[in-house]
Amino acid sequence: MAKGESLGEFEHLVLLALLRLGDEAYGLAVRREIAQRAERDVTIGAVYATLERLKDKGLVRSRQTEASEERGGRGRRYFKLTAEGDAALQATHRALQRMAQDLGLGFSR
Amino acid sequence: MRARPSRLGPWLLRPFLEGGEAHPLLGDLEEEFHTVIVPERGVRAARRWHLRQSVASMAPLLGAGIERPTPRQWLLALATLGALVWAPLRCIEALRSFVLGQIPLKDGLLRSPAYLAATLVAAALVFTVASWVLRRDARLAPVPTWCIVVLAWLLLGLVGPHWPLSVWAASLPVLGLGAWVSSRLSGARTDEGFEGEGT
């Protein structure tokens, strides 16, 4: 994978959160998933900035829902991995596994 | 009556969001405010949380927008950064002119070298920070910026030969340090993969 096509650490976390959340992946859910599992208190702005960048790269797609009262009259934007996003995630995992192999980290076994 | 988050947060974020007030990010913030933070921490703490989230979200959103700059975003970044440094300097200058204008024989007194030095360094800082914020598209901006600053510095020396030598000597390390920081910051933006992160 060429430089510029690889995933950054936070992009990696966001894509994994999207996978975990499935059809329920929208900004707030992604933020909370990362906070709970990765123990990183990221801002909603950082999540959206990353999601937009991933969208520009063609790694995720989004759809907007109807507005609701609970959200101040605004809709939700749900995100989903594209086939390219899935491939990028797998490539990143393979690269990490190869790098960790034989280091005794218990990472690749 | 149902608690509402502060209006300041959305107002701060709107310029960075496509679609402004209707953007789902603001909806996410409000949803978390109502469903999680207010029940857990109470209304006042929830309002503080909402404002903190909004303020902290500005930097990554600005960065994300500037990666694909529109003319409006370029203007926004430059105007914000410029105003942060230029406006206070203008106020000080206006105050100084007013005070000196009230003292007989002092009106029209030459600006001190220290004042001119501060103005130039501040201008250089504005351009350096702006070029850092504008990222890739202005990666080379520090080089012409510092050339302009040094040229301006020399021209001022021609105009004001009364400057003591010590001011010139003292200004060089400052300029050198600024140029070095500038090149480091712009070089750092070439690294891929960790952009847009923040807490």
Side-chain angles (χ1 to χ4, degrees), chain A residues 5 23 32-33 36 38 40-41 47 50 52 56 58-59 65 68-71 73 75 77 85 89 91 99 103 107-108:
Chain A
E5 293 172 11
D23 291 338
R32 293 190 69 79
E33 187 73 11
Q36 283 168 9
R40 279 180 64 168
D41 187 20
V47 170
T50 305
E52 288 299 328
D56 287 345
L59 303 183
T65 62
S68 71
E69 176 63 26
E70 188 183 50
R71 296 171 53 84
R77 186 177 292 170
L89 199 50
M99 290 301 291
L103 288 178
F107 191 76
S108 58

Side-chain angles (χ1 to χ4, degrees), chain B residues 71-152:
Chain B
R72 183 169 164 271
Q73 287 165 331
W74 281 74
L75 283 174
L76 180 74
L78 282 174
T80 308
L81 292 164
L84 282 174
V85 177
W86 182 79
L89 283 174
R90 278 306 302 162
C91 290
I92 293 168
E93 167 69 8
L95 181 66
R96 186 183 184 282
S97 294
F98 173 77
V99 171
L100 288 179
Q102 305 305 305
I103 305 169
L105 304 177
K106 292 279 185 181
D107 194 17
L109 197 71
L110 288 171
R111 302 288 178 266
S112 74
Y115 177 84
L116 287 171
T119 309
L120 272 176
V121 171
L125 281 174
V126 170
F127 278 99
T128 301
V129 177
S131 65
W132 174 62
V133 170
L134 294 173
R135 296 188 179 199
R136 298 172 189 164
D137 299 84
R139 197 176 290 164
L140 295 176
V143 177
T145 296
W146 284 96
C147 287
I148 291 166
V149 169
V150 171
L151 188 64

Side-chain angles (χ1 to χ4, degrees), chain A residues 1-2 4-13 15-16 54 57 59 84-93, chain B residues 192-194:
Chain A
M1 191 180 280
E5 293 172 11
S6 58
L7 295 176
E9 185 209 8
F10 193 59
E11 289 177 337
H12 194 182
L13 287 178
L15 287 183
L16 287 172
L54 291 170
K57 288 182 181 178
L59 303 183
E84 290 85 356
D86 196 65
L89 199 50
Q90 286 187 37
T92 301
H93 268 283
Chain B
E192 295 281 349
F194 288 86

Side-chain angles (χ1 to χ4, degrees), chain A residues 3-4 7-11 26-28 31-32 40-46 48-50 52-53 56 64 69-72 74-77, chain B residues 2 21-32 34-36 49 53 56-57 60-61 64 67-68 190 192-199:
Chain A
K3 189 173 187 267
L7 295 176
E9 185 209 8
F10 193 59
E11 289 177 337
Y26 67 107
L28 165 58
R31 192 181 98 76
R32 293 190 69 79
R40 279 180 64 168
D41 187 20
V42 294
T43 63
I44 193 73
Y48 267 89
T50 305
E52 288 299 328
R53 189 168 58 248
D56 287 345
Q64 187 105 5
E69 176 63 26
E70 188 183 50
R71 296 171 53 84
R74 304 173 188 97
R76 282 179 180 170
R77 186 177 292 170
Chain B
R2 194 181 188 209
E21 185 63 39
H23 197 280
L25 180 150
L26 297 176
D28 285 354
L29 263 183
E30 188 150 344
E31 182 182 338
E32 191 165 6
H34 288 303
T35 58
V36 181
W49 170 88
Q53 276 284 324
S57 288
L61 288 173
E67 279 179 42
R68 293 166 279 114
T190 60
E192 295 281 349
F194 288 86
E195 295 167 8
E197 289 187 42
T199 56

